[in-house]
Amino acid sequence: MYRHRKASNSTQELLLTLGRLVDQALENIRLQQARAELGMALQRHMLPSELPHFPGLRMAARYSPSQDDLAVGGDFYDAFPMRDGVAGIAIGDVQGHGVEAAAFMGEARASLRALASVTGDPGQVLASANDLLISLGWNLFTTCCLLSFVPRSGDLGIARAGHVPMVWGTDTGESAVCLDPGGVPLGILPGQSYPVVHRRLTQPGYLVLLTDGVVEGPAYPIEEGLAEVARLVGAGRGIAPDILASQVIRVADRTGSNDDAAVLVVRHDGRPYAQ
């Protein structure tokens, strides 16, 4: 009788311990889910609900969340007026995941917009945004590609802060990856400069900005991903930007990555517009 009672007590204690562990695990899951839902809500709120209109440009964007429901990402895209009627077009990718990444993404977007109101130079905007984000003390960083487009002349300025290169293409079937020089990501080192590459858009075509979740993963080196995007852009030949954006975002399905992914397609007429 004594041995049986002792065994029963041990079993009961074990079951109670297991019950407490299960309760703790469920509570942790609920907290993680709540945190993820908050991060996703922040992210949805901070991405633009629509993109503005600029003369000679049409834009479309696509965003694909992380395959891990708890891994809220910090990919962002935006378009906004810069000083003197210049169009600003940006895409970025914040380090890490979670509520902090989503909130930092909002700070980065707001910084770019505010600084673009005082200058049409994308390199100056990135340099000032870098110092501003460092001063906020987040201990996070973001990559970014910022374009400036002057409708009256067709001039394009390209500045990059550690971001994936842009892909361009024309309606004649030409396309390539823009392997222009850039600077370090925003939020790491103060006092940085960001070179600006200037081009003039003289033929109708596309500019495609994207994040690394589109073109890089365990099953896809980034070079192959970018080459596939360039192929799609070269085959575009006048299709609507929202159709091309949908085609490009599907490249992410082949990479094996569970990261979030963003695409911003800019369709340009290739001719200047008088103001």
Side-chain angles (χ1 to χ4, degrees):
M1 293 291 291
Y2 175 77
R3 290 179 180 175
H4 177 71
R5 190 180 303 113
K6 184 176 181 181
S8 298
N9 290 341
S10 298
T11 301
Q12 187 175 19
E13 290 174 3
L14 177 60
L15 291 173
L16 289 171
T17 300
L18 288 174
R20 285 194 295 270
L21 292 174
V22 169
D23 288 342
Q24 290 174 5
L26 290 173
E27 182 62 23
N28 287 336
I29 290 172
R30 283 192 289 267
L31 288 172
Q32 287 178 320
Q33 288 176 334
R35 191 176 180 85
E37 289 170 4
L38 174 59
M40 285 185 284
L42 278 171
Q43 193 172 41
R44 283 193 301 269
H45 177 72
M46 291 176 184
L47 290 176
S49 57
E50 59 181 13
L51 295 166
H53 172 75
F54 296 106
L57 299 181
R58 287 181 290 148
M59 290 179 279
R62 293 290 183 272
Y63 173 77
S64 176
S66 168
Q67 298 303 304
D68 181 351
D69 292 338
L70 300 180
V72 180
D75 286 9
F76 68 91
Y77 56 85
D78 204 359
F80 41 79
M82 303 178 76
R83 187 170 180 174
D84 298 328
V86 176
I89 303 160
I91 196 165
D93 185 355
V94 174
Q95 164 221 11
H97 298 87
V99 175
E100 291 81 6
F104 185 75
M105 176 260 283
E107 294 279 12
R109 268 194 68 209
S111 298
L112 294 174
R113 280 177 165 261
L115 294 164
S117 67
V118 298
T119 178
D121 184 323
Q124 290 183 14
V125 171
L126 291 185
S128 298
N130 175 61
D131 290 339
L132 177 57
L133 291 172
I134 290 173
S135 72
L136 295 175
W138 278 86
N139 293 319
L140 290 173
F141 65 84
T142 182
T143 65
C144 184
C145 179
L146 177 61
L147 308 182
S148 63
F149 176 72
V150 185
R152 64 179 177 269
S153 65
D155 287 338
L156 177 73
I158 309 166
R160 285 196 301 137
H163 197 74
V164 179
M166 181 185 72
V167 177
W168 64 268
T170 68
D171 287 358
T172 61
E174 295 179 281
S175 65
V177 179
C178 287
L179 298 176
D180 298 319
V184 300
L186 308 179
I188 298 178
L189 298 172
Q192 296 298 297
S193 61
Y194 295 87
V196 180
V197 175
H198 292 277
R199 302 180 186 276
R200 178 161 291 184
L201 303 180
T202 59
Q203 300 181 63
Y206 305 94
L207 308 171
V208 178
L209 290 75
L210 40 80
T211 58
D212 59 4
V214 179
V215 291
E216 184 177 33
Y220 236 49
I222 190 170
E223 294 81 9
E224 290 186 25
L226 287 170
E228 177 61 15
V229 172
R231 185 191 68 78
L232 291 170
V233 174
R237 297 177 183 267
I239 63 173
D242 60 328
I243 295 176
L244 182 57
S246 295
Q247 293 176 350
V248 172
I249 198 71
R250 285 198 290 270
V251 175
D253 297 335
R254 312 175 197 176
T255 66
S257 172
N258 65 354
D259 200 2
D260 54 338
V263 172
L264 178 56
V265 172
V266 181
R267 170 73 183 172
H268 60 86
D269 293 344
R271 58 188 174 91
Y273 278 75
Q275 295 194 337

